[in-house]
Amino acid sequence: EDQVTQSPEALRLQEGESSSLNCSYTVSGLRGLFWYRQDPGKGPEFLFTLYSAGEEKEKERLKATLTKKESFLHITAPKPEDSATYLCAVQASRDLTQGGSEKLVFGKGTKLTVNP
Amino acid sequence: EAGVTQFPSHSVIEKGQTVTLRCDPISGHDNLYWYRRVMGKEIKFLLHFVKESKQDESGMPNNRFLAERTGGTYSTLKVQPAELEDSGVYFCASSYGHFRSQYFGPGTRLLVL
């Protein structure tokens, strides 16, 4: 069964204090790994998709990386507005005609708080 | 461009009643997904439509849940009769094409008393 584990569950940083969030996964063939940001009372907001080990993507202060077993979301010099829950999800590469699915399997998320 | 919209934003019902949730995907998106998160748990997949057809309904918990997508546009998710354990946040997402990024709506918060 596909599984995603995110750590830490919660992280408090001071403004400007860089850090990384971890997403470990087990999946029988990875099609894609997705990072989302979720603010309280809102739906997940798409950030990145990573498809293969070694791939990296950046957006403002965020950089996502991928290995064969885990992904990291690096946050450089965070600001208070980066405070949110960051969700990681995987999608397996099983063929749709062989009973595959496009479903995303989510982790529980990391709640990030950045203090001014 | 408008994002995924969901209605209602909140719903409070009593056990045994019926509730219908609605999702309007991003215009032109042929794929529509339903997910839910119950208290303290991760977001979990319910089902996936491609246009008006159910591609994958492996996550539907039981036959009290009925999803439809008439005409391949908006979708409804009906819970009948609702049970206490159905409380949670129901998210809808949409995408264009296979295995593309899924864009989520704001969710419907359902409380069954």
Side-chain angles (χ1 to χ4, degrees), chain B residues 3-111:
Chain B
V4 177
T5 57
Q6 294 187 244
F7 183 83
S9 58
H10 295 78
S11 181
V12 180
I13 61 173
E14 292 189 354
K15 175 182 173 180
Q17 289 186 322
T18 298
V19 63
T20 300
L21 314 180
R22 173 171 170 145
C23 168
D24 286 79
I26 294 172
S27 178
H29 281 196
D30 49 354
N31 292 276
L32 187 149
Y33 313 81
W34 284 98
Y35 293 82
R36 76 172 177 179
R37 181 172 58 213
V38 297
M39 185 72 73
K41 300 281 190 177
E42 65 274 22
I43 295 173
K44 287 198 172 181
F45 170 81
L46 295 178
L47 87 159
H48 168 208
F49 284 99
V50 177
K51 297 181 182 176
E52 66 276 6
S53 299
K54 292 176 184 174
Q55 174 71 35
D56 178 1
E57 49 185 331
S58 62
M60 294 288 264
N62 52 60
N63 59 11
R64 294 185 294 103
F65 289 74
L66 175 64
E68 295 180 325
R69 191 182 182 195
T70 306
T73 54
Y74 71 92
S75 173
T76 59
L77 180 65
K78 180 188 290 187
V79 185
Q80 179 183 29
E83 298 288 346
L84 300 179
E85 63 264 26
D86 300 331
S87 296
V89 185
Y90 289 76
F91 293 105
C92 175
S94 72
S95 70
Y96 177 73
H98 285 303
F99 297 108
R100 298 293 180 88
S101 302
Q102 298 178 21
Y103 296 88
F104 282 74
T108 293
R109 282 140 190 84
L110 174 65
L111 179 60

Side-chain angles (χ1 to χ4, degrees), chain A residues 69-99:
Chain A
K69 293 184 177 180
E70 58 191 350
S71 176
F72 291 94
L73 185 65
H74 307 278
I75 304 177
T76 302
K79 298 181 177 181
E81 52 262 42
D82 294 322
S83 297
T85 295
Y86 290 86
L87 300 169
C88 173
V90 297
Q91 188 177 61
S93 64
R94 291 182 289 275
D95 191 331
L96 290 176
T97 63
Q98 302 294 322

Side-chain angles (χ1 to χ4, degrees), chain A residues 15-111:
Chain A
E15 185 172 1
E17 180 186 1
S18 301
S19 188
S20 296
L21 312 183
N22 177 263
C23 170
S24 298
Y25 64 90
T26 54
V27 63
S28 54
L30 179 72
R31 178 169 293 277
L33 184 142
F34 301 79
W35 281 98
Y36 288 85
R37 168 192 171 127
Q38 187 173 23
D39 292 299
K42 296 190 176 182
E45 175 190 344
F46 173 74
L47 293 174
F48 305 109
T49 308
L50 301 168
Y51 294 103
S52 57
E55 188 175 0
E56 298 183 353
K57 288 199 175 168
E58 289 188 63
K59 180 180 180 179
E60 296 180 353
R61 296 175 292 282
L62 301 177
K63 182 167 96 171
T65 62
L66 180 66
T67 72
K68 289 186 177 180
K69 293 184 177 180
E70 58 191 350
S71 176
F72 291 94
L73 185 65
H74 307 278
I75 304 177
T76 302
K79 298 181 177 181
E81 52 262 42
D82 294 322
S83 297
T85 295
Y86 290 86
L87 300 169
C88 173
V90 297
Q91 188 177 61
S93 64
R94 291 182 289 275
D95 191 331
L96 290 176
T97 63
Q98 302 294 322
S101 172
E102 296 192 33
K103 70 179 181 182
L104 298 181
V105 176
F106 281 88
K108 289 187 175 181
T110 293
K111 183 177 180 180

